[in-house]
Amino acid sequence: MSYNIRLLIDCPDRKGLIAAISSFIAMHNGNILSADQYVSDSGRFFMRLVIEGEGFGLRKEEFGAAFTPLARQYSMNWQIYYTDQPKRVAILVSKQDHCLVDLLWRWDAGELPAEIPLVISNHTNAASRVEAYGIPFYHLPVTKETREEQEDKILELLDKYSIDLVVLARYMQILTPKVVNAYRQRMINIHHSFLPAFVGANPYHQAHARGVKIIGATAHYVTEELDAGPIINQDIAHVSHRDTVQDMIRIGREVERRVLARAVRWHLEDRVLVDGNRTVVFE
Amino acid sequence: MSYNIRLLIDCPDRKGLIAAISSFIAMHNGNILSADQYVSDSGRFFMRLVIEGEGFGLRKEEFGAAFTPLARQYSMNWQIYYTDQPKRVAILVSKQDHCLVDLLWRWDAGELPAEIPLVISNHTNAASRVEAYGIPFYHLPVTKETREEQEDKILELLDKYSIDLVVLARYMQILTPKVVNAYRQRMINIHHSFLPAFVGANPYHQAHARGVKIIGATAHYVTEELDAGPIINQDIAHVSHRDTVQDMIRIGREVERRVLARAVRWHLEDRVLVDGNRTVVFE
Amino acid sequence: MSYNIRLLIDCPDRKGLIAAISSFIAMHNGNILSADQYVSDSGRFFMRLVIEGEGFGLRKEEFGAAFTPLARQYSMNWQIYYTDQPKRVAILVSKQDHCLVDLLWRWDAGELPAEIPLVISNHTNAASRVEAYGIPFYHLPVTKETREEQEDKILELLDKYSIDLVVLARYMQILTPKVVNAYRQRMINIHHSFLPAFVGANPYHQAHARGVKIIGATAHYVTEELDAGPIINQDIAHVSHRDTVQDMIRIGREVERRVLARAVRWHLEDRVLVDGNRTVVFE
Amino acid sequence: MSYNIRLLIDCPDRKGLIAAISSFIAMHNGNILSADQYVSDSGRFFMRLVIEGEGFGLRKEEFGAAFTPLARQYSMNWQIYYTDQPKRVAILVSKQDHCLVDLLWRWDAGELPAEIPLVISNHTNAASRVEAYGIPFYHLPVTKETREEQEDKILELLDKYSIDLVVLARYMQILTPKVVNAYRQRMINIHHSFLPAFVGANPYHQAHARGVKIIGATAHYVTEELDAGPIINQDIAHVSHRDTVQDMIRIGREVERRVLARAVRWHLEDRVLVDGNRTVVFE
């Protein structure tokens, strides 16, 4: 089966980096399909290379040994992904299912290169929608008292299904550091405001009370601090005095769906690198 | 000279309000050119009527006496404006002159129905640009020590020129309540962020540090609390990791110009009513 | 059951129209919840009134007789709708089901005040998705030879189910004047370009060939002339040289969904009036 | 003076291209500040490299000789630009001066890295605005009879001032192939519609007549065929039934200014490569 290779690199910027990397690829007869590069203000170099699998001289199991000396020389962090090994995604959701339904439809339509082995919810309402796609649905209800226990079950499932990416598709529970740390930079949340405005609960109510003329949504990696992780994507919609909180919720659903789907697709295509609390997105 | 009449009304909502008002106009042979109406969640009625001046049976000096009984009956706040008496606008600016230049160009092109009798700045750099339009330019420098004195001079000038609207076109001084109160709902500020995010100084630096993917601008009426007054207009632009603070400042200038100009035009056309800390904008 | 009344009017503009109409409503003890009004360049008056059902003195069966004399006096076209009688919508679709799925989800989420008694397709692939919502799915395949016969079956079904609005949710067959005339101003199509650019087949291929930097979608009422009917809503997305035709199709799906859903919602809420080949949309 | 070097390359795609080019730069001790690359559907490779001037081992006069063998080997088209030699821009304008004023302001504010040695107009109204920036203004009126003669004068001026880029900032005359050919891919026009819709005269009137809900603007390189050259940038604004042709003209001015300024800046920063009738824009 034909596939491509995606190589992500970040390291201190130095002269000759691109030459060194691209020569390494050329030496092994690799055909570079696309190359993106960025140097941050603080002098850190980020790169994303897509190499054609066919004809590339290094087998999957050989790449690491061959690339390590170069990586060491330049103090690189690097990751390699193969498009014939799509990421395995778990979606967590609560009652609001618009993001879930949207992701499932896009996945089914081929927009999201992933496997979705399971959906987890603390409610039951989305069960039939999920199962219609042939995806196992796990109902893990939660109360203040059972939080830890429920999270352990979640972690167990994520582990059992070898999950690469956790998508919080309007999952309205705050996760403890235990879970957050286990999926650092591998857990995407959609927050229904243009962060950093309206952190926390009921952002549309907050927005309406403040009388804003735009509402928005933010997809970000989850960190310990609530709604403060690296932002991947944001967008907004215009509202007017006529829009009630209910209208904002309706309008916002559309923005949330779009923003989350884009962030998830970018992550699945290995387009997102993290630079401290900022993201580098090679669109 | 042909002119139109703009009647703004707000009062508690009641049955028969539109009939009462439009019948009053019809009784005096008025031709309604446009009518906009809105009832807030809290049950307050807002209306903007544009009536053709020609043929209307009430002279300017007669309207008040004729309308007052109806207004009293319904507990109306009301204001009336005549398009042959354009508002008189003062622009206050500091070093950054992009909003000023934009407003002057639009005014000259006929986009802003107003008179601009003066521009005030705490710097001198914009003087020649302003004077090229034949508009008096006042340089009123300010330090911590001279703030009160300078504000008194500003108030004196605003008074002398019978100013109806004060536009803070990137005027980087915080005004004291004395000035704010004198021009309540008649003073528009442009803040260079999508409020309520990034209140206060250096919002683009704040935005860059937070790693947001959108930047924005907000035009609002000035109140005592910094950047917290009723919002008239907001818009955003998308940014990426490649955009430095300087890029954000450049991109933001465009958003600021657009957002401020729209808010000022709406105010000049009597399209903005204030509902607590929110605005009703009849676009 | 509590309901509202929507009254749509268009007629030659005359003095006193708003007074006459609103006084009529007031006389019958009606509470006007919202009123929108517009006078076109050509001097035609358009109005949309929403009146609270409760307390209104005219019963459904009485309204016509009571209103007709006024309507005659001002040469009004008028229509009245009751929110407790939601419109009955038929969706026609071909292979591409993204607009269909989106409409069904929104309908299920309460965003679209309608009944959807059936979906018709010339393909079978969407059957299970439709039936999951408990909606009958009719498969009516069509070839050049059977077009007339198939259209007759469509008309029969639309008639049988008393359909008020036909939505062509990427239905890729050109309908004959017979069908078009039967649902004039009651049939909405989504075209996958920003009309009038790229009329007809394969607009994304056309767009890619032309090298445009935006793609778009247009929802319009269907008329005899292909893609030339009154436009209800349009929107766009930005694209770059990196976007292939396939990318444009993916990006476009999102725009199509959004544009069609908005047009359908506006129609269902009786916000769209037709003014020649233009629409008046009271958002 | 510190400067950067911009190297633009296009050639048939081949394995090892990036390695060959970046190794060439590394061999000469060049520090690559940014690298963008793209392979078109048709298999053509496009690249933009920015190299730090300081420390680069090839002097300006040496680069050509050193790079030619590599360029020949890969059949490259290539161009090199130095940021200490900004492009020389001539602006052509007719009566409408909003794009001109905007470009001049941006240039003065440092947004456009260029020299502007002259402005040419077939009208006189913009003279004082141009001269306020210390830029020579040439009035070259034109009639059907004098077109050729006037164009010769234009060409003479462009030649005399060693112009690199001609910006048609709402210059409402159609230029003959003689001028077009002399500045192929070096002449940018702003058309006031979202092309390919509304080619030619009075696009806002056309847009209003068609009843569109968006209007737009397109910046493109000028070719012999009217409004058909490679598109660099496009954007739109939403309009409603309330917007008259005059409103559209006002709203459109804003879009035109933005779209043209962006296209000009991209060209000045050597971000635009032409691929047949399409552009590759490395933003």
Side-chain angles (χ1 to χ4, degrees):
Chain A
M1 183 189 159
S2 136
Y3 63 91
N4 294 330
I5 301 160
R6 298 189 194 122
L7 180 59
L8 302 187
I9 294 166
D10 71 90
C11 62
D13 191 29
R14 271 173 54 187
K15 267 190 196 177
L17 259 170
I18 298 178
I21 298 164
S22 57
S23 296
F24 175 88
I25 304 301
M27 191 171 68
H28 293 288
N29 201 35
N31 185 28
I32 295 178
L33 296 173
S34 87
D36 287 287
Q37 166 275 355
Y38 165 68
V39 179
S40 74
D41 296 1
S42 59
R44 194 153 186 92
F45 173 90
F46 295 85
M47 191 169 210
R48 177 185 187 261
L49 282 177
V50 183
I51 304 151
E52 201 170 4
E54 199 179 315
F56 189 49
L58 291 171
R59 291 187 200 151
K60 290 178 188 179
E61 66 275 17
E62 294 171 340
F63 188 89
F67 192 64
T68 293
L70 190 68
R72 192 174 48 225
Q73 185 184 342
Y74 287 95
S75 307
M76 292 176 185
N77 295 324
W78 63 276
Q79 301 157 275
I80 193 160
Y81 300 101
Y82 297 88
T83 59
D84 60 348
Q85 295 172 315
K87 294 195 195 336
R88 295 170 64 79
V89 176
I91 303 177
L92 271 66
V93 67
S94 292
K95 268 193 187 156
Q96 296 278 332
D97 71 351
H98 52 284
C99 287
L100 170 69
V101 168
D102 188 67
L103 288 172
L104 291 177
W105 180 83
R106 288 179 196 262
W107 170 73
D108 191 57
E111 290 191 10
L112 300 175
E115 291 172 11
I116 305 185
L118 83 161
V119 169
I120 300 171
S121 178
N122 56 328
H123 293 279
T124 57
N125 58 303
S128 68
R129 299 241 164 121
V130 171
E131 288 161 0
Y133 286 95
I135 297 173
F137 178 89
Y138 289 85
H139 176 223
L140 298 181
V142 62
T143 63
K144 266 185 201 171
E145 290 70 33
T146 63
R147 178 175 308 279
E148 260 185 69
E149 192 185 335
Q150 190 240 20
E151 283 199 349
D152 285 344
K153 282 188 201 153
I154 291 176
L155 283 173
E156 207 175 289
L157 282 169
L158 299 181
D159 189 55
K160 177 183 160 195
Y161 283 102
S162 307
I163 292 306
D164 298 303
L165 175 69
V166 178
V167 178
L168 306 183
R170 299 294 307 269
Y171 182 68
M172 308 308 282
Q173 300 294 318
I174 296 175
L175 295 165
T176 62
K178 190 176 174 181
V179 182
V180 170
N181 284 321
Y183 289 87
R184 184 164 299 278
Q185 297 181 14
R186 299 189 299 146
M187 187 184 300
I188 296 176
N189 181 48
I190 181 74
H191 182 73
H192 39 318
S193 83
F194 45 88
L195 290 173
F198 309 130
V199 164
N202 294 322
Y204 294 125
H205 291 78
Q206 294 183 53
H208 192 264
R210 177 61 187 90
V212 291
K213 299 298 186 186
I214 50 175
I215 57 171
T218 305
H220 63 95
Y221 287 119
V222 178
T223 57
E224 287 88 347
E225 195 183 339
L226 184 65
D227 299 330
I231 294 171
I232 305 168
N233 188 26
Q234 297 187 287
D235 209 351
I236 61 108
H238 291 269
V239 294
S240 83
H241 60 275
R242 294 191 195 278
D243 292 306
T244 62
V245 171
Q246 288 310 309
D247 290 324
M248 288 185 177
I249 289 172
R250 173 178 52 74
I251 295 166
R253 281 199 288 251
E254 188 141 322
V255 185
E256 296 163 35
R257 299 195 304 183
R258 190 165 74 230
V259 166
L260 179 59
R262 216 177 289 162
V264 168
R265 186 168 56 78
W266 287 341
H267 182 97
L268 293 174
E269 296 178 355
D270 304 307
R271 297 180 179 279
V272 191
L273 290 92
V274 172
D275 176 24
N277 202 38
R278 315 175 71 227
T279 61
V280 172
V281 180
F282 291 124
E283 274 188 70
Chain B
M1 183 188 157
S2 139
Y3 64 92
N4 294 331
I5 301 160
R6 299 188 192 123
L7 181 59
L8 302 188
I9 293 166
D10 72 270
C11 62
D13 191 29
R14 272 174 53 188
K15 267 189 196 178
L17 257 171
I18 297 177
I21 297 164
S22 56
S23 297
F24 174 88
I25 304 300
M27 192 172 69
H28 294 288
N29 201 36
N31 185 28
I32 295 178
L33 296 174
S34 87
D36 287 286
Q37 166 273 358
Y38 165 68
V39 179
S40 73
D41 295 2
S42 60
R44 194 151 188 95
F45 174 89
F46 295 85
M47 190 167 211
R48 177 185 186 263
L49 282 177
V50 183
I51 305 150
E52 201 170 5
E54 199 178 317
F56 189 48
L58 290 172
R59 291 187 202 151
K60 290 179 186 180
E61 66 275 18
E62 295 172 338
F63 188 89
F67 191 65
T68 294
L70 188 70
R72 192 173 49 223
Q73 185 184 341
Y74 288 95
S75 307
M76 290 176 187
N77 297 324
W78 63 277
Q79 301 156 273
I80 192 160
Y81 300 100
Y82 297 89
T83 59
D84 60 349
Q85 296 172 315
K87 293 195 196 334
R88 295 171 63 79
V89 176
I91 304 176
L92 271 66
V93 67
S94 293
K95 269 195 187 153
Q96 297 277 333
D97 70 351
H98 54 283
C99 286
L100 170 70
V101 168
D102 189 66
L103 288 171
L104 292 177
W105 180 83
R106 288 179 195 263
W107 170 73
D108 190 58
E111 289 192 11
L112 301 175
E115 291 171 12
I116 306 185
L118 82 162
V119 170
I120 299 171
S121 179
N122 56 329
H123 293 277
T124 57
N125 57 303
S128 67
R129 298 241 164 122
V130 172
E131 288 162 359
Y133 285 96
I135 298 173
F137 177 89
Y138 289 86
H139 176 224
L140 297 181
V142 62
T143 62
K144 267 187 201 171
E145 290 70 33
T146 63
R147 176 175 310 279
E148 262 186 67
E149 192 186 336
Q150 190 240 21
E151 283 198 348
D152 285 345
K153 282 188 201 154
I154 291 176
L155 282 172
E156 207 175 287
L157 282 169
L158 299 180
D159 190 55
K160 175 183 161 195
Y161 283 102
S162 306
I163 292 306
D164 297 304
L165 174 68
V166 178
V167 178
L168 306 182
R170 298 296 306 272
Y171 183 68
M172 307 307 281
Q173 300 294 319
I174 296 175
L175 295 164
T176 63
K178 190 176 174 183
V179 182
V180 170
N181 284 322
Y183 288 87
R184 185 165 296 281
Q185 297 180 16
R186 299 189 299 145
M187 188 184 299
I188 297 176
N189 181 48
I190 180 74
H191 183 72
H192 40 315
S193 83
F194 46 88
L195 291 174
F198 309 128
V199 165
N202 294 323
Y204 294 124
H205 290 79
Q206 293 182 54
H208 192 264
R210 177 61 187 90
V212 292
K213 300 299 189 185
I214 50 175
I215 57 171
T218 304
H220 62 95
Y221 287 119
V222 178
T223 57
E224 287 88 347
E225 196 184 336
L226 183 66
D227 299 331
I231 293 171
I232 305 168
N233 188 27
Q234 297 187 287
D235 208 348
I236 61 108
H238 292 269
V239 292
S240 83
H241 60 274
R242 293 191 195 277
D243 291 307
T244 62
V245 171
Q246 288 310 311
D247 290 324
M248 288 185 175
I249 289 172
R250 173 178 53 76
I251 295 166
R253 280 198 290 251
E254 188 141 324
V255 185
E256 296 164 34
R257 298 196 305 183
R258 189 165 74 231
V259 166
L260 178 60
R262 216 177 287 161
V264 168
R265 186 167 58 78
W266 287 342
H267 181 98
L268 294 174
E269 297 178 353
D270 304 307
R271 297 180 179 279
V272 191
L273 291 92
V274 172
D275 176 23
N277 202 38
R278 313 176 74 226
T279 61
V280 173
V281 180
F282 291 126
E283 274 187 68
Chain C
M1 182 189 158
S2 137
Y3 64 92
N4 295 330
I5 302 159
R6 298 188 193 124
L7 181 59
L8 302 187
I9 294 166
D10 72 270
C11 62
D13 191 29
R14 271 173 54 187
K15 267 188 196 181
L17 257 171
I18 297 178
I21 297 164
S22 58
S23 296
F24 174 88
I25 303 300
M27 190 172 69
H28 294 288
N29 202 36
N31 185 28
I32 295 178
L33 296 173
S34 86
D36 288 287
Q37 165 274 357
Y38 165 69
V39 180
S40 74
D41 295 1
S42 59
R44 194 151 188 95
F45 173 91
F46 295 85
M47 191 169 210
R48 177 185 187 263
L49 282 177
V50 182
I51 303 150
E52 200 171 6
E54 199 178 316
F56 189 49
L58 291 172
R59 289 186 203 153
K60 291 179 186 180
E61 65 276 17
E62 295 172 339
F63 187 89
F67 192 64
T68 294
L70 189 70
R72 193 174 47 225
Q73 185 184 339
Y74 288 93
S75 308
M76 291 177 187
N77 296 324
W78 64 277
Q79 301 156 272
I80 193 160
Y81 300 100
Y82 297 89
T83 58
D84 60 348
Q85 295 171 316
K87 295 195 194 336
R88 295 171 63 79
V89 176
I91 304 175
L92 271 65
V93 68
S94 293
K95 268 194 187 154
Q96 297 278 332
D97 70 351
H98 53 284
C99 286
L100 170 70
V101 167
D102 189 66
L103 289 171
L104 292 176
W105 181 83
R106 289 178 195 263
W107 169 74
D108 190 58
E111 290 191 9
L112 301 175
E115 290 172 13
I116 306 184
L118 82 161
V119 169
I120 300 172
S121 178
N122 56 330
H123 293 277
T124 56
N125 57 303
S128 68
R129 298 241 164 122
V130 171
E131 288 161 359
Y133 286 96
I135 299 173
F137 177 89
Y138 288 86
H139 177 223
L140 297 181
V142 62
T143 62
K144 268 186 200 171
E145 290 69 34
T146 63
R147 176 175 310 277
E148 262 186 66
E149 191 185 336
Q150 190 240 21
E151 283 199 348
D152 285 345
K153 280 187 203 155
I154 291 177
L155 282 172
E156 207 175 288
L157 282 169
L158 300 181
D159 189 55
K160 176 182 160 195
Y161 283 102
S162 307
I163 292 305
D164 299 303
L165 174 69
V166 178
V167 178
L168 306 183
R170 299 295 306 270
Y171 183 67
M172 307 307 282
Q173 300 293 319
I174 295 174
L175 295 165
T176 63
K178 189 176 175 182
V179 183
V180 170
N181 285 321
Y183 289 87
R184 184 165 298 279
Q185 297 179 16
R186 299 190 299 145
M187 187 183 301
I188 296 176
N189 181 48
I190 181 74
H191 182 73
H192 40 316
S193 83
F194 46 88
L195 290 173
F198 309 129
V199 165
N202 293 324
Y204 294 125
H205 290 79
Q206 293 182 54
H208 192 264
R210 178 60 186 93
V212 292
K213 300 298 187 186
I214 51 175
I215 59 171
T218 304
H220 63 95
Y221 287 120
V222 178
T223 58
E224 288 88 347
E225 194 182 339
L226 183 65
D227 299 330
I231 293 171
I232 305 168
N233 188 26
Q234 297 187 287
D235 209 349
I236 61 107
H238 292 269
V239 292
S240 82
H241 60 274
R242 294 190 194 278
D243 291 307
T244 62
V245 171
Q246 288 311 310
D247 291 323
M248 288 184 176
I249 289 172
R250 172 177 53 74
I251 296 166
R253 280 199 289 251
E254 189 141 322
V255 185
E256 296 163 35
R257 299 196 302 184
R258 188 166 75 232
V259 166
L260 178 60
R262 216 178 287 161
V264 168
R265 186 167 57 79
W266 287 341
H267 181 98
L268 294 173
E269 296 178 354
D270 303 307
R271 298 179 180 279
V272 190
L273 291 92
V274 172
D275 176 23
N277 201 38
R278 313 175 73 226
T279 61
V280 173
V281 180
F282 291 126
E283 274 187 71
Chain D
M1 183 187 157
S2 135
Y3 64 91
N4 295 330
I5 301 160
R6 298 188 193 124
L7 181 59
L8 302 187
I9 294 167
D10 72 271
C11 62
D13 191 29
R14 271 172 56 187
K15 267 189 197 178
L17 258 171
I18 297 178
I21 297 164
S22 57
S23 295
F24 174 87
I25 303 301
M27 190 173 68
H28 294 288
N29 201 36
N31 185 29
I32 295 178
L33 297 173
S34 87
D36 287 287
Q37 165 274 357
Y38 165 68
V39 179
S40 74
D41 295 2
S42 60
R44 193 150 189 95
F45 173 90
F46 295 85
M47 191 168 210
R48 177 186 186 263
L49 282 178
V50 182
I51 304 151
E52 201 170 3
E54 199 178 315
F56 188 48
L58 291 171
R59 291 187 202 152
K60 290 179 187 180
E61 66 274 18
E62 294 172 339
F63 188 88
F67 192 63
T68 293
L70 189 71
R72 192 174 48 224
Q73 185 184 341
Y74 287 95
S75 308
M76 292 175 185
N77 296 324
W78 63 278
Q79 301 157 273
I80 193 159
Y81 300 100
Y82 297 88
T83 59
D84 60 349
Q85 295 172 315
K87 294 196 195 335
R88 295 171 63 79
V89 176
I91 304 176
L92 270 66
V93 66
S94 293
K95 269 195 188 153
Q96 297 277 333
D97 70 350
H98 53 284
C99 286
L100 170 69
V101 167
D102 189 66
L103 289 172
L104 291 178
W105 181 83
R106 288 180 197 262
W107 170 73
D108 190 57
E111 290 191 10
L112 301 175
E115 291 172 12
I116 306 185
L118 83 162
V119 169
I120 300 171
S121 178
N122 56 329
H123 293 278
T124 57
N125 58 303
S128 67
R129 297 240 166 123
V130 172
E131 288 162 359
Y133 286 96
I135 298 172
F137 177 88
Y138 289 86
H139 176 225
L140 297 181
V142 63
T143 62
K144 266 186 202 170
E145 289 71 33
T146 63
R147 179 175 309 278
E148 262 186 67
E149 192 184 337
Q150 190 240 19
E151 283 199 348
D152 285 345
K153 281 188 203 153
I154 292 177
L155 283 172
E156 206 175 291
L157 282 169
L158 300 181
D159 190 55
K160 176 182 160 195
Y161 283 101
S162 306
I163 293 305
D164 298 303
L165 175 69
V166 178
V167 178
L168 306 182
R170 299 295 307 271
Y171 183 67
M172 307 307 281
Q173 300 293 319
I174 296 175
L175 295 166
T176 61
K178 189 174 173 183
V179 182
V180 170
N181 284 321
Y183 289 87
R184 185 165 296 279
Q185 297 179 15
R186 299 190 299 145
M187 189 183 299
I188 296 176
N189 181 48
I190 180 73
H191 182 74
H192 39 315
S193 83
F194 45 88
L195 290 173
F198 309 130
V199 164
N202 293 324
Y204 294 126
H205 290 80
Q206 294 183 52
H208 192 264
R210 178 60 187 92
V212 291
K213 300 297 189 188
I214 50 175
I215 58 171
T218 304
H220 63 94
Y221 287 119
V222 178
T223 58
E224 287 87 349
E225 196 183 337
L226 184 64
D227 299 331
I231 293 171
I232 305 168
N233 188 27
Q234 298 188 285
D235 209 350
I236 61 108
H238 292 269
V239 293
S240 83
H241 60 275
R242 293 190 196 279
D243 292 307
T244 62
V245 171
Q246 288 311 311
D247 290 324
M248 287 184 177
I249 289 172
R250 173 177 53 74
I251 296 165
R253 280 199 289 251
E254 188 141 323
V255 185
E256 296 163 35
R257 298 196 303 184
R258 190 165 73 230
V259 166
L260 179 59
R262 217 177 287 161
V264 168
R265 186 167 57 79
W266 287 341
H267 182 96
L268 294 174
E269 295 178 353
D270 304 306
R271 296 180 179 279
V272 191
L273 290 92
V274 172
D275 176 23
N277 201 38
R278 314 175 72 229
T279 61
V280 173
V281 180
F282 291 124
E283 275 187 70

